[in-house]
Amino acid sequence: KKLKIAENPESKRLFTSSAASSSATMDAGLLMTIKNLKAQLKSRGAHGIIGLGRKFKIMDDDGSKSLNMAEFRKAMTEMQLELNGREMEALFKHFDKDGNGSVDFEEFLQGCRDPMSERRQNLVRMAFAKVDADGNGILEASDIVGAYDASKHPDVIAGKRTENQILQEFLSTFDVGGTVDGKVTPEEFEMYYHNISSSIDNDDYFELMIRNA
């Protein structure tokens, strides 16, 4: 059976690959696989999306920011995601836009996240401006360490992780304090909170988390 994208808002929201958009349809099985994957990642909090992104980067030996089928399967398996071989193959083909046998993992991760609402985007931009004390549009490690309260992170509140673990993850996500450039751009900051946003349903709770942090 086929689900018409134009007639089904849920299908339209989940449908992110332009490769299949010409037919304006998505196989019902693939739709459920994407929905299942999103649910699994969401259940792991921000660590789900962030962890998958890190796993993809580890598998990307040549730095191409893309994975072949074997690398993709290995990454998904090591993340212990409950997907069978047929579902992994369907996902890979869905995101292999040009059919060249590789998947851009940034585009794949984007397809695993729902877009942030305008309200949430504005809150994240306000938070960046708050931390960026000198207004130069770049955050450094000292800015974040002095301004970010990890105790208000959802995983800390839930008792899943410690404040130190959250702060270290926060910094490593931006390569702050690492060997890259030690700076955080507005885009990197927003991407981090996009990952957080994907695990929080309620807009008011998201705002509370941002303001407390």
Side-chain angles (χ1 to χ4, degrees):
K1 293 182 179 180
K2 300 289 185 178
L3 297 179
K4 295 289 186 179
I5 296 300
E7 297 173 359
N8 190 319
E10 178 68 6
S11 299
K12 187 175 182 180
R13 185 178 66 81
L14 291 171
F15 184 69
T16 55
S17 173
S18 61
S21 61
S22 59
S23 63
T25 61
M26 179 185 290
D27 181 85
L30 176 58
L31 180 64
M32 290 305 298
T33 298
I34 293 176
K35 188 173 183 179
N36 175 36
L37 175 59
K38 283 187 174 184
Q40 290 189 55
L41 293 172
K42 186 174 183 179
S43 70
R44 303 182 186 189
H47 184 65
I49 289 287
I50 293 174
L52 185 59
R54 287 176 176 169
K55 183 64 67 176
F56 282 169
K57 289 178 182 178
I58 291 172
M59 298 298 169
D60 181 25
D61 293 329
D62 60 1
S64 65
K65 295 185 178 181
S66 63
L67 302 178
N68 61 34
M69 185 63 195
E71 293 168 332
F72 180 78
R73 280 178 176 269
K74 186 175 181 181
M76 301 296 273
T77 300
E78 291 189 3
M79 282 293 292
Q80 299 182 338
L81 293 166
E82 297 178 6
L83 298 170
N84 59 40
R86 179 182 56 79
E87 291 170 327
M88 289 185 195
E89 183 176 352
L91 279 172
F92 187 88
K93 288 181 178 179
H94 176 63
F95 286 98
D96 181 9
K97 294 183 176 182
D98 54 10
N100 68 348
S102 66
V103 167
D104 182 302
F105 53 73
E106 291 298 339
E107 291 183 0
F108 181 83
L109 293 174
Q110 183 177 347
C112 292
R113 293 186 299 251
D114 291 331
M116 275 202 300
S117 66
E118 183 177 355
R119 175 184 175 186
R120 295 191 185 198
Q121 289 178 338
N122 288 337
L123 285 164
V124 172
R125 290 163 186 159
M126 286 170 58
F128 184 92
K130 180 77 171 179
V131 180
D132 183 20
D134 60 7
N136 68 350
I138 295 292
L139 305 185
E140 302 194 45
S142 58
D143 295 320
I144 295 176
V145 171
Y148 182 69
D149 182 2
S151 70
K152 306 303 182 182
H153 190 285
D155 283 357
V156 175
I157 293 173
K160 294 179 181 179
R161 288 185 287 170
T162 66
E163 293 179 37
N164 185 61
Q165 287 174 322
I166 294 298
L167 184 57
Q168 289 304 314
E169 177 185 83
F170 190 84
L171 297 178
S172 64
T173 298
F174 300 130
D175 296 318
V176 175
T179 58
V180 184
D181 62 3
K183 300 180 186 301
V184 183
T185 66
E187 292 75 20
E188 290 169 329
F189 192 82
E190 187 166 330
M191 182 62 69
Y192 177 84
Y193 274 106
H194 194 169
N195 292 332
I196 296 288
S197 176
S198 67
S199 66
I200 299 175
D201 289 323
N202 186 282
D203 281 349
D204 290 337
Y205 182 71
F206 182 83
E207 178 169 351
L208 180 64
M209 180 273 295
I210 286 282
R211 293 188 183 280
N212 283 342

